[in-house]
Amino acid sequence: ADAAASVVKIIEGAGGKAIAIQAEATDAAAVKAAIEKTVATFGGFDVLVNNAGTAIPKKFEEATLEELDRVIDINVRGTFIATQAALKHMKNGGRIIMIGSCVGERMMTPGLVAYAATKGAIKMFTQGLSREVGDRGITVNNIQPGPIDTELNPAAGEWAVPQKANTALNRYGSVDDIAAMVAFVAGPEASYITGASLTVDGGTNA
């Protein structure tokens, strides 16, 4: 909550308008309510970024069914829930942006089998949905990060060594690297890009 509030203050300080809403990504009612509150506050809905995601790194045969369900529920079901709810309010010319993963296209990191499968699903969801909403001028794109320094995947963590070694730049990326691509895809310059998977991975998949 504190982190969300600080983002709101930064936006307001720059002259923008912002609200922070708490909603569990797998709770359909909570997500729907969050989108409806957004529409009521701003008078419409233009851009959805499906950023909620998780991974539980371990060998697939050692993963519990509960762990597998958790990864699927957030990464796939949660994306379905938010996208369907947003489309009911989205204006023509809107933007739907998925945060997939470079391992959804090329898999080189043991321990991320289930995660990679969900991100591969998001890639195909992006392509299929782009065909359905194109006549409304809505674009649907999938940004595929490589190793990014976050709380879930810290650059100093034990899982970082093989991920860093797989990059061409020999380093982790930052959240700003991904945010820059999100901002571009959400903007007018990207109006003819849809159904695309745009990889920002430091050369991991090169």
Side-chain angles (χ1 to χ4, degrees):
D2 290 343
S6 69
V7 173
V8 169
K9 286 183 178 178
I10 291 169
I11 293 170
E12 290 176 340
K17 182 178 180 181
I19 56 172
I21 307 168
Q22 182 181 22
E24 164 62 42
T26 60
D27 184 338
V31 172
K32 181 180 177 183
I35 287 172
E36 289 176 349
K37 183 175 180 181
T38 302
V39 172
T41 302
F42 296 100
F45 203 96
D46 300 288
V47 180
L48 170 70
V49 182
N50 282 303
N51 189 48
T54 195
I56 305 174
K58 60 170 54 180
K59 287 186 177 181
F60 178 74
E61 64 181 308
E62 297 172 359
T64 67
L65 183 57
E66 289 75 18
E67 288 171 334
L68 296 174
D69 282 342
R70 179 67 174 163
V71 173
I72 292 168
D73 280 352
I74 294 177
N75 295 2
V76 180
R77 185 173 179 271
T79 297
F80 284 3
I81 288 170
T83 303
Q84 194 172 58
L87 277 171
K88 298 184 187 308
H89 297 281
M90 187 165 283
K91 299 175 181 178
N92 289 353
R95 302 278 191 269
I96 298 173
I97 302 169
M98 318 295 178
I99 304 298
S101 172
C102 68
V103 301
E105 190 165 280
R106 186 180 179 199
M107 181 58 184
M108 296 180 287
T109 308
L112 293 177
V113 173
Y115 175 78
T118 63
K119 294 305 186 177
I122 292 304
K123 177 185 177 184
M124 294 313 300
F125 176 56
T126 297
Q127 292 181 210
L129 186 62
S130 71
R131 297 286 185 178
E132 291 193 2
V133 300
D135 59 353
R136 292 170 56 185
I138 295 172
T139 67
V140 187
N141 290 293
N142 175 37
I143 296 172
Q144 299 186 136
I148 303 297
D149 188 15
T150 63
E151 290 183 14
L152 188 66
N153 186 22
E158 62 176 305
W159 286 83
V161 175
Q163 293 181 71
K164 179 182 173 184
N166 282 337
T167 68
L169 295 176
N170 194 35
R171 65 174 176 85
Y172 261 47
S174 73
V175 293
D176 289 341
D177 295 320
I178 306 306
M181 180 61 87
V182 171
F184 171 70
V185 173
E189 298 90 346
S191 65
Y192 202 55
I193 301 173
T194 195
S197 287
L198 306 164
T199 305
V200 186
D201 69 350
T204 298
N205 285 358

